[in-house]
Amino acid sequence: MKKFVFILALLCAVFSSSCNSKSEEYIDPRGTDYAGSESCIQCHKTQYDMVIKSSHFKATAPAILENVSGNFDSGDHTFVYDKNTKVVMEKDGDSLYQVLYQNGKETARYKFDIVFGIKHAQTSVYWKNNNTYELPVSFYHSIKKWATSPGFPAHEPYFDRMVVKDCYTCHSSNASSRIVNQNSAEKNFMSMDVEDVIDKKTIVYGIDCERCHGPAKQHAEFHLKNPNVKIANNIISFRTLNRQQKLDACALCHAGNNGMKLKSRFDFKPGDNLSDFYRETRSINDTAQFDVHGNQFRLMAQSKCFIKSEKMDCITCHNPHENASKNMASYSKICMSCHQTKKHAQKTLQSMSGKLLADNCVECHMPKKSSNAISFQLSNSKQLSNYILRTHKIGIYVNAKK
């Protein structure tokens, strides 16, 4: 019996040593001060389990079967350009392809390698010569159909649009030209954004824990050795950030950022000033008409609610660890915390009761609008379809749904 216990203890020690060794040897593509999101599970399992299901975490993903939306072997999986040209979504074993047919014959096939997006729509890219290129047909969840990728024509397919490295800065947590075995602060701008190649091994898919909380290697090591310390060490906690710092962390990817780029977005860490990364060409408080796609912060910043508040930020309404709630009443409670004394006009009350209005402030004051930046066309159709998103400019809209 003693011998059995000794062997069991020895096996446990070896297994534990192996796990610790692997953890210590792991080098994240972002630098040796990163631990990788899986290191967060040990202490933050509740948050981790929410995050891995979120649109943030799935902003990019390898194009394996469980990550790709749309039909491939049943239903509508053909996009027709004309009577002689079509692209068919096909599955071959575990691989997925967009296959070009001309005059009934296969002339080219392009593999789904990486998918972008999961919530409203999903577009995909394939690898060629250390770069990625967008596929011409995307899947749109609102219509449950394949349609042209944003900006692609419906009269002919083409496969040569490069997805530049800057696209990855809001859809992934890292993508660089080469792996650099050094601390993230020692990486240079050239390796991150300037060179027109991407090393596949450097991609960290989706927006992960360390993209929003900074490098966690020292944090994880400290708290595993000191489990009784409940105050977070060596990590960026949003609770410690001021309002502008919180806003900047979200605005990094939710404010368009069309100004002059000064640094790579990959270099940004919560607590940094966004103005150090972009030089704005116009004020967010001007009367500019910002598109509903990708400009959530700019639209919110034009709202009277935001302008008059000293505390309102993105986290006021959103839990960044999970997808936006579909329960409109949950947002209304937040609205009513400041607008309890507000009265609807009699004309408005004639169309809907005060109780129903109070349970869905968003539908009227943040209505869904068409994007001017994104439109698409269905198979065998020349008509443009609108890409609909909810505006973040809170206001009174005369024609909003009552």
Side-chain angles (χ1 to χ4, degrees), residues 142-368:
S142 59
I143 57 173
K144 295 181 172 59
K145 289 181 179 292
W146 295 96
T148 54
S149 297
F152 278 75
H155 65 276
E156 63 176 343
Y158 69 95
F159 297 83
D160 296 327
R161 179 189 286 175
M162 184 188 294
V163 176
V164 297
K165 199 178 301 181
D166 199 43
C167 295
Y168 286 87
T169 60
C170 282
H171 284 270
S172 74
S173 294
N174 190 75
S176 55
S177 303
R178 55 186 177 274
I179 294 177
V180 182
N181 188 3
Q182 57 191 175
N183 183 286
S184 62
E186 298 172 316
K187 286 189 173 184
N188 59 58
F189 185 69
M190 183 71 84
S191 71
M192 298 300 289
D193 264 9
V194 176
E195 293 177 333
D196 269 341
V197 295
I198 300 174
D199 187 326
K200 293 182 183 181
K201 296 178 181 178
T202 68
I203 295 180
V204 177
Y205 291 103
I207 306 302
D208 74 345
C209 307
E210 290 175 286
R211 185 74 197 270
C212 293
H213 291 284
K217 189 73 171 286
Q218 291 182 5
H219 169 76
E221 289 176 348
F222 176 86
H223 285 282
L224 286 174
K225 292 177 182 177
N226 302 276
N228 294 325
V229 177
K230 301 304 179 183
I231 298 175
N233 277 258
N234 304 312
I235 200 72
I236 299 168
S237 171
F238 268 64
R239 294 176 184 174
T240 66
L241 301 180
N242 62 41
R243 183 197 190 197
Q244 190 57 52
Q245 288 173 323
K246 292 176 183 177
L247 290 168
D248 280 359
C250 298
L252 178 71
C253 290
H254 292 282
N257 295 323
N258 296 321
M260 181 186 296
K261 184 168 68 173
L262 305 176
K263 295 181 183 179
S264 168
R265 272 189 275 222
F266 282 132
D267 290 336
F268 181 95
K269 295 178 179 62
D272 288 346
N273 296 317
L274 190 57
S275 58
D276 292 335
F277 291 77
Y278 283 89
R279 182 173 298 160
E280 294 296 340
T281 57
R282 56 186 179 181
S283 169
I284 60 172
N285 295 318
D286 66 18
T287 58
Q289 297 295 312
F290 295 113
D291 193 78
V292 288
H293 177 262
N295 286 291
Q296 292 90 341
F297 168 69
R298 291 175 182 272
L299 290 166
M300 180 181 70
Q302 292 182 333
S303 310
K304 287 184 179 179
C305 287
F306 178 83
I307 294 169
K308 291 183 177 181
S309 173
E310 295 181 354
K311 297 181 179 180
M312 184 179 178
D313 57 37
C314 306
I315 300 176
T316 301
C317 298
H318 296 294
N319 179 349
H321 292 136
E322 60 184 353
N323 288 332
S325 174
K326 295 181 180 180
N327 179 8
M328 296 296 104
S330 66
Y331 296 112
S332 295
K333 289 180 181 178
I334 299 169
C335 299
M336 296 302 287
S337 66
C338 292
H339 294 283
Q340 292 176 354
T341 60
K342 295 294 182 182
K343 301 289 185 181
H344 286 99
Q346 190 61 37
K347 185 177 180 180
T348 303
L349 290 170
Q350 289 174 357
S351 63
M352 188 178 291
S353 71
K355 176 64 172 66
L356 289 174
L357 286 168
D359 284 342
N360 196 352
C361 306
V362 170
E363 201 64 49
C364 291
H365 298 288
M366 297 176 65
K368 292 182 178 180

